[in-house]
Amino acid sequence: PAQPVEHLRQPHHPRAERDRGDRRGEQQPADDDVIAWMDKMHAEGRRVVCINMGTIYYYQPQDYAHMVQALHMIHEQNPNVAFLWKIAQRPKHVQNIPSEDEAALPPYVRRMSWIPSMTAVMEHPALAVMMHHGGGNSLNECLAYGIPQFCISQWVDTHDIGLCIRHSGVGLWSEYSPDFVPEDICSQLLQLVEDKDHTFRHTALSWKLKTQQAGGTKFAADLIQSYVTDYTYAGGSSKAPMPHAM
């Protein structure tokens, strides 16, 4: 039978198709290794989970070890899942975990210190789920591309975003946040990747459509600008006392 879900998630992207079509026999940009790996996963019928905990996040040794354990557990239950894991390169006194060379991760895990183009990753048909820390950018990128998401929130507003992800139905949130609990990560990521009846994918696509119908980035920027330019501060000064400033 036809598979409409992937077709809906992957609208016509002339630029992406052109970039992939031009790849044969030519020297490619820096992100080509990542996309070539995702192409390979897609050709093998594997689903990719991209793990990106944000620019300022750094792994504690226990969190890193628990994450490796969770990926192993997922692989044991579903060998068709592969992982693109972004871990920023930091000094050992800041992030005391094995380096990329020391890690000796299994072949179903692709660890990167930097992903040159998240757009290329999120457009790719092999991508099944984004796992992130609950940052506003991460949330909205997933909504814009119709990608189900799993959140282990880490601080302040990210916990609220995690709850929004769960209550909206676009993904799942770990109630153990900010801790990494292998059994919980395994269970929730498998639920999202396997996605019985395409529930998460259809919900994510519906929110993608809502963001487009609402006007997208341009409308959001125009709305913010209108508040800034049209707002009249008490006494004509933006430095008015707090009770009168808003």
Side-chain angles (χ1 to χ4, degrees):
Q3 297 293 325
V5 175
E6 288 300 322
H7 172 72
L8 283 172
R9 187 174 78 81
Q10 298 297 327
H12 181 63
H13 289 293
R15 181 190 61 75
E17 292 177 5
R18 183 175 65 252
D19 288 349
R20 290 174 190 161
D22 290 345
R23 198 173 289 130
R24 296 182 182 87
E26 295 183 12
Q27 187 174 359
Q28 298 304 317
D31 65 329
D32 186 66
D33 285 347
V34 177
I35 301 307
W37 178 81
M38 294 192 73
D39 285 346
K40 183 174 183 290
M41 296 300 101
H42 187 53
E44 294 174 358
R46 305 178 80 173
R47 309 306 309 284
V48 173
V49 174
C50 181
I51 305 164
N52 186 351
M53 295 298 289
T55 305
I56 65 173
Y57 178 81
Y58 57 90
Y59 282 87
Q60 298 288 349
Q62 178 175 297
D63 294 335
Y64 175 82
H66 284 177
M67 194 69 217
V68 171
Q69 182 183 348
L71 302 189
H72 175 73
M73 292 168 64
I74 293 168
H75 179 73
E76 288 287 298
Q77 296 187 44
N78 188 338
N80 286 326
V81 183
F83 304 92
L84 178 62
W85 190 4
K86 185 250 182 181
I87 302 179
Q89 192 171 356
R90 305 192 190 282
K92 282 281 189 180
H93 71 274
V94 174
Q95 183 171 255
N96 188 20
I97 64 171
S99 67
E100 287 185 56
D101 293 334
E102 297 167 343
L105 292 168
Y108 55 85
V109 180
R110 179 72 182 266
R111 176 175 160 179
M112 306 287 295
S113 60
W114 181 253
I115 298 175
S117 174
M118 281 306 301
T119 298
V121 169
M122 299 191 80
E123 286 177 341
H124 202 284
L127 184 65
V129 177
M130 281 291 302
M131 174 178 165
H132 59 79
H133 64 304
N137 285 342
S138 300
L139 166 71
N140 284 291
E141 285 171 352
C142 291
L143 293 179
Y145 286 94
I147 309 294
Q149 44 193 306
F150 174 52
C151 173
I152 299 185
S153 51
Q154 295 298 308
W155 51 73
V156 198
D157 59 319
T158 65
H159 301 308
D160 289 334
I161 287 176
L163 286 169
C164 289
I165 289 168
R166 183 172 71 179
H167 291 319
S168 66
V170 299
L172 296 172
W173 169 68
S174 174
E175 294 186 0
Y176 297 96
S177 297
D179 295 333
F180 289 70
V181 177
E183 295 78 8
D184 177 62
I185 295 169
C186 175
S187 172
Q188 303 225 46
L189 282 179
L190 281 175
Q191 187 179 343
L192 287 166
V193 171
E194 294 171 355
D195 197 7
K196 305 301 183 186
D197 302 319
H198 305 300
T199 302
F200 291 107
R201 181 58 49 79
H202 286 157
T203 305
L205 286 169
S206 72
W207 276 90
K208 173 183 178 177
L209 183 60
K210 289 176 184 178
T211 63
Q212 292 172 340
Q213 291 173 332
T217 305
K218 184 180 185 304
F219 178 79
D222 289 345
L223 184 64
I224 293 169
Q225 185 176 21
S226 71
Y227 279 118
V228 172
T229 56
D230 296 343
Y231 188 82
T232 301
Y233 291 96
S237 172
S238 63
K239 299 188 182 298
M242 194 62 186
H244 305 293
M246 299 299 291

